[in-house]
Amino acid sequence: MEKRKFMPEPFKIKMVEHMGTLGKEERKAAIKEAGYNTFLLRSEDCYIDLLTDSGTNAMSDRQWAGLMLGDEAYAGSKNFYHLQAVVREYFGFKYIVPTHQGRGAENILSSLTIKPGDYIPGNMYFTTTRFHQERNGATFRDVIIDEAHDPAADLPFKGNIDLKKFQALIDEVGADKIPYICLAVTVNLAGGQPVSMGNIKAVSELAHKNGIMVMFDATRCVENAYFIKDREEGYQDKTIKEIVHEMFSYGDGCTMSGKKDCITNIGGFLCMNDHDMYVRATGMVVQFEGMPSYGGLAGRDMEAMAIGITESVQYEYISYRVNQIRYLGEKLEAAGVPMVKPFGGHAIFVDARAFLDHLTQDEFPAQSLAAALYETSGVRTMERGIISAGRDVVTGKDHHPKLETIRLTIPRRVYTYAHLDFVADAVIELYNKRKDISGLKWDYEPKVLRFFTGTFKTINPELIKGY
């Protein structure tokens, strides 16, 4: 069969789920009641839900069958040993501690390794990751390349660590105050941007020379492996499994949200190679999650995660996954919608600062744009800008990130190209009346992770003038 630019979905549909269809006035009422925060909308009130790809995946028939093999023993579940074997085979780490989701692993890692006054370098912050680091007394330091903060910079590996920045931090504070470097593959808030294998090797060499651990945020590691195969010389003939295994061979462990590249609805784990660290982690998981052989998960969920890992590295699947993102991006790009380039592996990041250039960043353009897109179309997305960035823990002032975006996040194996056509049309239609969109101001601001539960009011009488 002749290969097309965008191949059809590599699966057949066996079961369907009804999609909510609210009318215009109902959507306006719903987003107002939610305080113009898309996180606070009811799922049933959203037509196409692109809020996140975390836990929103469609599992395969093999995964659903695996649920029936759940060993719900309180300790020593056979599903744990299956998951452990798969992680060792595909990721290469010696020890695994399951957790209820990725932030459970982040909590344990931060609590185990960080002392007050430490510094954690990373290739751009992630919200929950930085929260746990700061909660334990560390200061996050961004050491990603400068181009990652420029939405228009089009580089193949925009998630790379700047080795000079990393070295400068070592020289400034001393390696003894840097327990580990957090290496995200891919970099979510940069637009789902990958890290090259060459950069991973170089970061590993610099870190280990100074006695610093390399801990991966492995959440979207399969997407990163796809970009290495597609873009980096010498990897075209490697399998995705081989690339994933090599990536992690340069590290000391990882945190993993199984709700992404394990293609499940819940679950995560912490990995490491150091036995002493593993023993201490098992002591902590008992306090916060559960026994070391279930970590807050049912046996059936561990089984689904183990099967999902094996499915995620199939080239047919991951190629389709990444190309869905590219399909949506190319349609928006053709209409002149400003976006982060190049397109990442899990979402299209629309440049809200350029989209709503009549608003200042303190008028929350990304939050406004996400609310407006829902109001006009029923498409739910999320803000990734000043609201997500939060406040400086010392000064209390807002962080002002250079990237102010909304994230159109595609769940795995859920939506078809026809759904993405609808999303593209909705964004383009809104872009054509962008000057009518109002800014927002705080109504209720939580002290931590405010983007989840904060509420807002419109600066003008209407969110969208005349709509």
Side-chain angles (χ1 to χ4, degrees):
M1 184 175 67
E2 183 180 352
K3 190 169 181 63
R4 301 167 57 191
K5 183 177 182 182
F6 293 103
M7 293 296 290
E9 288 77 12
F11 51 81
K12 295 184 292 184
I13 297 171
K14 185 176 291 187
M15 184 178 72
V16 298
E17 180 182 351
H18 177 71
M19 297 167 61
T21 52
L22 293 186
K24 170 183 171 181
E25 296 304 320
E26 293 173 306
R27 294 195 304 270
K28 290 177 71 172
I31 193 64
K32 184 176 182 179
E33 182 181 351
Y36 299 98
N37 184 347
T38 52
F39 275 95
L40 301 181
L41 289 164
R42 292 172 179 258
S43 171
E44 62 186 356
D45 292 342
C46 301
Y47 181 51
I48 295 179
D49 197 345
L50 307 185
L51 184 75
T52 181
D53 62 330
S54 179
T56 57
N57 310 296
M59 294 200 300
S60 70
D61 53 355
R62 293 178 65 250
Q63 287 177 293
W64 280 103
L67 296 184
M68 301 307 295
L69 301 176
D71 174 8
E72 307 309 340
Y74 188 78
S77 166
K78 68 180 181 182
N79 308 120
F80 165 73
Y81 292 107
H82 183 200
L83 176 61
Q84 178 180 258
V86 168
V87 170
R88 285 176 173 173
E89 178 184 354
Y90 286 77
F91 287 25
F93 295 118
K94 293 180 182 178
Y95 305 109
I96 173 176
V97 179
T99 58
H100 74 283
Q101 62 182 70
R103 73 191 61 171
E106 292 170 349
N107 175 41
I108 294 172
L109 174 63
S110 299
S111 300
L112 282 177
T113 60
I114 292 172
K115 306 182 303 295
D118 282 346
Y119 288 78
I120 305 295
N123 48 347
M124 202 173 286
Y125 79 97
F126 185 67
T127 50
T128 59
T129 312
R130 190 178 71 185
F131 167 75
H132 287 295
Q133 292 164 355
E134 293 177 345
R135 179 175 174 270
N136 285 277
T139 299
F140 170 78
R141 188 68 66 87
D142 188 4
V143 292
I144 202 168
I145 59 175
D146 288 340
E147 292 87 346
H149 296 281
D150 178 0
D154 197 343
L155 303 175
F157 294 103
K158 210 169 168 182
N160 280 358
I161 295 279
D162 186 322
L163 297 173
K164 291 181 180 178
K165 290 182 183 180
F166 185 19
Q167 182 66 62
L169 178 64
I170 296 171
D171 295 340
E172 176 189 344
V173 304
D176 59 322
K177 287 194 174 182
I178 307 174
Y180 67 91
I181 182 169
C182 182
L183 183 53
V185 287
T186 59
V187 185
N188 187 348
L189 295 187
Q193 302 300 330
V195 182
S196 72
M197 191 73 82
N199 188 248
I200 292 170
K201 291 180 189 177
V203 169
S204 177
E205 290 171 4
L206 178 55
H208 290 149
K209 182 176 72 174
N210 287 277
I212 298 168
M213 292 190 299
V214 176
M215 299 299 293
F216 286 94
D217 177 347
T219 297
R220 297 180 179 87
C221 59
V222 179
E223 293 170 13
N224 200 94
Y226 172 85
F227 285 121
I228 288 175
K229 180 178 176 66
D230 187 59
R231 298 175 182 176
E232 192 163 359
E233 186 177 353
Y235 287 91
Q236 282 71 31
D237 296 329
K238 298 279 189 180
T239 66
I240 298 296
K241 178 183 176 181
E242 289 171 335
I243 296 171
V244 168
H245 199 279
E246 182 181 344
M247 283 166 47
F248 291 142
S249 72
Y250 301 113
D252 300 284
C254 74
T255 59
M256 181 68 175
S257 172
K259 298 165 68 176
K260 284 85 167 179
D261 269 354
C262 296
I263 327 180
T264 56
N265 305 126
I266 197 67
F269 49 81
L270 172 65
C271 290
M272 69 285 289
N273 288 325
D274 182 78
H275 183 261
D276 177 65
M277 184 178 177
Y278 170 68
V279 171
R280 291 186 296 122
T282 58
M284 188 164 289
V285 77
V286 168
Q287 300 174 52
F288 293 103
E289 303 276 339
M291 282 291 289
S293 57
Y294 79 89
L297 292 172
R300 56 183 173 270
D301 295 320
M302 291 188 285
E303 187 67 23
M305 210 161 29
I307 295 169
I309 291 171
T310 67
E311 293 181 350
S312 71
V313 299
Q314 295 170 4
Y315 184 78
E316 180 186 55
Y317 155 76
I318 191 58
S319 175
Y320 154 76
R321 160 77 175 153
V322 174
N323 277 299
Q324 265 206 319
I325 314 301
R326 185 164 65 94
Y327 177 83
L328 177 58
E330 288 183 2
K331 290 185 75 72
L332 295 177
E333 184 178 39
V337 175
M339 291 170 292
V340 173
K341 298 290 296 291
F343 309 134
H346 71 292
I348 290 297
F349 286 69
V350 174
D351 184 352
R353 195 198 297 265
F355 196 114
L356 301 181
D357 58 5
H358 60 288
L359 300 181
T360 68
Q361 193 169 24
D362 291 313
E363 293 173 315
F364 310 152
Q367 192 74 39
S368 301
L369 182 54
L373 183 59
Y374 172 79
E375 185 170 300
T376 55
S377 67
V379 174
R380 176 158 68 164
T381 60
M382 69 171 296
E383 180 268 1
R384 278 302 185 218
I386 188 172
I387 304 300
S388 292
R391 294 183 181 272
D392 187 285
V393 294
V394 177
T395 67
K397 294 182 178 179
D398 279 320
H399 292 293
H400 284 76
K402 293 182 180 178
L403 291 177
E404 180 78 18
T405 67
I406 66 165
R407 191 181 75 179
L408 282 63
T409 331
I410 312 301
R412 293 162 185 79
R413 303 189 294 208
V414 171
Y415 294 117
T416 67
Y417 287 110
H419 291 117
L420 300 185
D421 288 338
F422 179 90
V423 172
D425 291 343
V427 174
I428 293 166
E429 182 180 343
L430 191 60
Y431 186 61
N432 292 332
K433 54 184 174 187
R434 58 193 180 276
K435 297 298 184 183
D436 295 331
I437 299 174
S438 169
L440 297 172
K441 57 186 177 182
W442 282 111
D443 182 28
Y444 160 65
E445 181 185 357
K447 291 184 178 180
V448 296
L449 298 174
R450 60 190 187 176
F451 63 95
F452 281 127
T453 58
T455 56
F456 304 87
K457 294 180 179 178
T458 58
I459 293 173
N460 296 327
E462 297 178 294
L463 176 62
I464 306 171
K465 183 180 177 181
Y467 179 72

